[in-house]
Amino acid sequence: MDTNIFRKLSYGVYVVSTWDNGRPTGCTANSAMQITSSPATIAVSINHDNYTNQCINETGKFAISILSEKSEPSIIGTFGFKSGKEMNKFDDVKYSVEDHMPVVSDSCGYIACNVIDKMETATHTVFLGEVIGGEVFSDTDAMTYAYYHKVIRGKSPKNAPTYIPEEEKKEEKSVRRFKCQVCGYIYEGEELPADFTCPLCGVPAEQFEEIN
């Protein structure tokens, strides 16, 4: 089976957030969709290994911040390649509390939901949420997963539904490439600048390795 066919499905790039004993937390997600319009319901898919999954189960609430093509790429790295169990992800990301939920300010807007049902798969929980609020922050085009891959050249976190192990083996050899060992970002150039920091997860050049 050619797993690349799944990339032909339409995906966005989102931050799904909730509360963890009074502090905001969340993770990046690409699987979110509207199920019905009246009453408005939304489904999101969150990996069992994501700390956000546990927090949504405990609070019964979640919000979806819809990232735009102009959103700071480091937001994706912060929420996609680091654990909210070990750090406060929102410390370095501007946010506001809307409809009693933490949402990313640098986004197209948000949708807030109460969990009304869920479905368990082998690796993910699909949460079904009834919409309790939402607002548009910007009319900038929403970031698609295709844009994330082709323009930002980001990689799929291993907990993402769209993660394809084979993509790690398809790097071209026409130029020197340096790979971030934390998030998988690829830097192309003759040399990796000593003061370079990963635009996705923020680690220094020492965390990059040249790939052949």
Side-chain angles (χ1 to χ4, degrees):
M1 179 178 67
D2 183 358
T3 53
N4 285 295
I5 189 60
F6 298 131
R7 294 280 173 80
K8 300 302 181 181
L9 294 172
S10 178
Y11 297 95
V13 182
Y14 316 100
V15 171
V16 177
S17 56
T18 189
W19 295 105
D20 174 27
N21 294 316
R23 74 179 180 105
T25 192
C27 65
T28 55
N30 54 39
S31 296
M33 62 180 295
Q34 182 176 353
I35 304 299
T36 63
S37 58
S38 183
T41 54
I42 299 287
V44 295
S45 176
I46 307 295
N47 193 286
H48 293 158
D49 292 337
N50 280 19
Y51 186 60
T52 303
N53 187 309
Q54 175 185 327
C55 294
I56 294 176
N57 269 308
E58 292 175 353
T59 63
K61 299 176 182 295
F62 65 86
I64 303 170
S65 297
I66 303 170
L67 300 187
S68 78
E69 291 183 354
K70 294 185 178 180
S71 292
E72 177 58 47
S74 62
I75 294 173
I76 302 170
T78 296
F79 287 93
F81 298 94
K82 302 176 183 180
S83 173
K85 192 173 184 177
E86 301 169 354
M87 64 172 294
N88 294 322
K89 297 183 180 181
F90 279 94
D91 281 354
D92 298 320
V93 176
K94 185 178 180 180
Y95 75 98
S96 61
V97 176
E98 309 290 344
D99 290 299
H100 309 290
M101 297 300 294
V103 298
V104 175
S105 300
D106 186 7
S107 67
C108 294
Y110 76 94
I111 302 170
C113 299
N114 286 330
V115 176
I116 57 175
D117 205 349
K118 64 179 181 178
M119 179 182 72
E120 297 294 344
T121 73
T123 58
H124 288 66
T125 303
V126 179
F127 293 100
L128 182 66
E130 183 174 9
V131 177
I132 58 174
E135 184 178 344
V136 175
F137 293 158
S138 168
D139 61 0
T140 306
D141 289 341
M143 184 185 299
T144 65
Y145 215 58
Y147 182 93
Y148 170 67
H149 278 280
K150 294 179 181 179
V151 180
I152 298 179
R153 293 187 291 114
K155 300 295 182 181
S156 303
K158 290 187 177 181
N159 287 346
T162 52
Y163 175 70
I164 299 175
E166 290 81 0
E167 73 178 356
E168 302 291 341
K169 304 176 183 179
K170 293 182 178 180
E171 305 296 341
E172 297 179 2
K173 300 180 181 180
S174 57
V175 296
R176 293 185 70 185
R177 296 182 178 222
F178 303 84
K179 179 180 178 181
C180 176
Q181 298 304 295
V182 176
C183 71
Y185 178 82
I186 303 296
Y187 174 88
E188 297 180 346
E190 294 183 1
E191 295 288 343
L192 180 68
D195 60 350
F196 184 78
T197 57
C198 179
L200 285 183
C201 66
V203 299
E206 288 78 6
Q207 294 292 324
F208 280 72
E209 289 187 0
E210 185 170 3
I211 55 178
N212 296 322

